[in-house]
Amino acid sequence: MSFYGSDREFLVTLSLGQEKILEKELGLELKNVQYEKHYPGMRIDMYAQVSNLGTEVFMENLLLKSNKTHQKKILKIIDMLESGVIVYIALSFHDKHIKELQDAVRKSGKPITLYFAVLNPKIFAPLQRLNHMHKLKVYENLYFLNIRNPIQLLEKESIIQPIVAKRLEQEEVINDLELKRKKENEYLLETLRNRISYFLPFHRQKAHLGKLRVISFGAGRSDCNYFVSLSDRRNIAFVELRFSDKNRSIYTSIKEKESSVQERFNGEVHFKDNCISVKFQSQGNVEDTVEKLVEIFEKMIIAFSNYTYYFYQDHKEMWQYHEQGI
């Protein structure tokens, strides 16, 4: 499966964050780094805060020349912020786009720092190398993108102002149940990212965690999705892989190997209605439940990813690169 559009941009963004390239370029120490963070009315490619100041940092990454869609998004961020840092990275910029954003910051009168940076086109060659790897092998080879000078700051075009500490704001008022669920779901997601870091969907931020009993992740092809829950309404924890009707053939092919699947999961797998699931009673504490969910999730990813990413014949040559699948 090729990396196009947002997938490629996500990989570059992930590399810029994890290799601390932004921190080196901007001379800032960042904390609370999040990828594809949900923000009011939009999704931010990378969000962070300046350590010790709490000042928000928004980064947008475009592997093309600046365009109208991203221009509107940056303008919206400028309008929304009271103060902060915005980093706009693109392969190149239209002069009119730079001027429009500069004017917007200046007219706002707000302490907003706006950085423009151009992406080194040499990054496309390693991106293409990643393109020819199995999806589960990409993360361990993400260092390919750590080329010399991956981005170049356009200092003359940027508007650099003193960074103002973010004022303490009253946190969103949520009830005790939602606060507990939010903390537990955050712990689950953080554990999944740390323990199964090679599964890229885990690195994308999730919204409304205080309201979610069930969290979903794309499994590969469209309409193939994983679902995980620490506790449903029956106090059951589970990991499920669900297929739409149009991908029923993938489900059927996996079910044909049910004996091999059950052997890997100690006979705990349920096949029903285009869904493959492992369920158990939630444990006495969240740590034990998370531990078991992570173990199950990793087994599923290893067993089924050849199917969820590369089932159809034009991609089956990728299976040889992931021999642990069923």
Side-chain angles (χ1 to χ4, degrees), residues 200-254:
L200 294 172
F202 289 153
H203 294 279
R204 291 180 160 99
Q205 196 65 23
K206 293 293 181 179
H208 312 302
L209 289 177
K211 299 181 182 297
L212 295 179
R213 283 185 176 273
V214 180
I215 305 173
S216 64
F217 303 91
R221 300 190 63 84
S222 59
D223 297 319
C224 297
N225 295 286
Y226 282 109
F227 296 85
V228 62
S229 177
L230 282 162
S231 177
D232 66 8
R233 297 184 184 281
R234 300 163 298 164
N235 199 33
I236 298 296
F238 63 81
V239 182
E240 292 184 347
L241 175 56
R242 302 178 192 172
F243 301 88
S244 67
D245 284 339
K246 76 176 185 179
N247 283 320
R248 183 175 177 81
S249 57
I250 304 178
Y251 168 81
T252 301
S253 293
I254 294 175

Side-chain angles (χ1 to χ4, degrees), residues 175-189:
N175 60 47
D176 291 343
L177 177 61
E178 288 187 358
L179 180 60
K180 178 176 180 290
R181 183 175 295 152
K182 181 175 184 291
K183 290 181 177 179
E184 291 178 347
N185 280 336
E186 286 175 344
Y187 175 69
L188 170 62
L189 288 177

Side-chain angles (χ1 to χ4, degrees), residues 46-222:
M46 190 179 98
Y47 170 91
Q49 294 173 333
V50 179
S51 296
N52 302 324
L53 295 176
T55 308
E56 294 179 300
V57 179
F58 299 79
M59 191 201 84
E60 285 299 306
N61 178 35
L62 177 62
L63 304 189
L64 303 167
K65 195 167 187 176
S66 60
N67 58 31
K68 291 182 179 179
T69 300
H70 280 74
Q71 191 74 1
K72 290 179 180 179
K73 190 172 183 181
I74 301 295
L75 287 169
K76 185 175 181 179
I77 296 173
I78 293 170
D79 182 62
M80 173 187 67
L81 287 180
E82 290 300 320
S83 65
V85 177
I86 301 171
V87 185
Y88 186 8
I89 300 173
L91 193 57
S92 61
F93 291 92
H94 291 283
D95 290 340
K96 64 179 181 179
H97 287 161
I98 289 177
K99 186 177 186 306
E100 183 180 28
L101 295 177
Q102 289 173 333
D103 290 345
V105 171
R106 290 180 178 129
K107 289 177 181 178
S108 74
K110 296 184 286 191
I112 294 175
T113 289
L114 173 63
Y115 290 107
F116 293 97
V118 291
L119 188 69
N120 189 337
K122 290 183 178 179
I123 206 164
F124 287 102
L127 268 177
Q128 187 64 15
R129 290 180 68 186
L130 294 177
N131 185 56
H132 289 92
M133 294 179 186
H134 194 289
K135 278 278 195 174
L136 299 190
K137 303 290 186 179
V138 170
Y139 186 84
E140 66 189 59
N141 290 292
L142 202 60
Y143 67 90
F144 285 177
L145 301 181
N146 191 19
I147 62 173
R148 185 176 181 181
N149 300 322
I151 60 174
Q152 178 184 355
L153 188 64
L154 302 180
E155 293 190 28
K156 291 183 178 179
E157 290 80 1
S158 300
I159 298 179
I160 303 173
Q161 305 189 67
I163 296 176
V164 177
K166 183 177 175 63
R167 290 177 296 179
L168 292 176
E169 298 178 357
Q170 186 175 2
E171 293 187 3
E172 180 185 3
V173 178
I174 60 177
N175 60 47
D176 291 343
L177 177 61
E178 288 187 358
L179 180 60
K180 178 176 180 290
R181 183 175 295 152
K182 181 175 184 291
K183 290 181 177 179
E184 291 178 347
N185 280 336
E186 286 175 344
Y187 175 69
L188 170 62
L189 288 177
E190 187 64 23
T191 306
L192 287 169
R193 290 183 189 121
N194 290 335
R195 294 269 295 277
I196 318 176
S197 56
Y198 56 83
F199 190 63
L200 294 172
F202 289 153
H203 294 279
R204 291 180 160 99
Q205 196 65 23
K206 293 293 181 179
H208 312 302
L209 289 177
K211 299 181 182 297
L212 295 179
R213 283 185 176 273
V214 180
I215 305 173
S216 64
F217 303 91
R221 300 190 63 84
S222 59

Side-chain angles (χ1 to χ4, degrees), residues 4-20:
Y4 292 113
S6 61
D7 273 351
R8 296 198 308 168
E9 289 171 2
F10 174 68
L11 288 178
V12 173
T13 300
L14 193 61
S15 175
L16 292 174
Q18 297 204 343
E19 296 295 331
K20 298 186 181 297

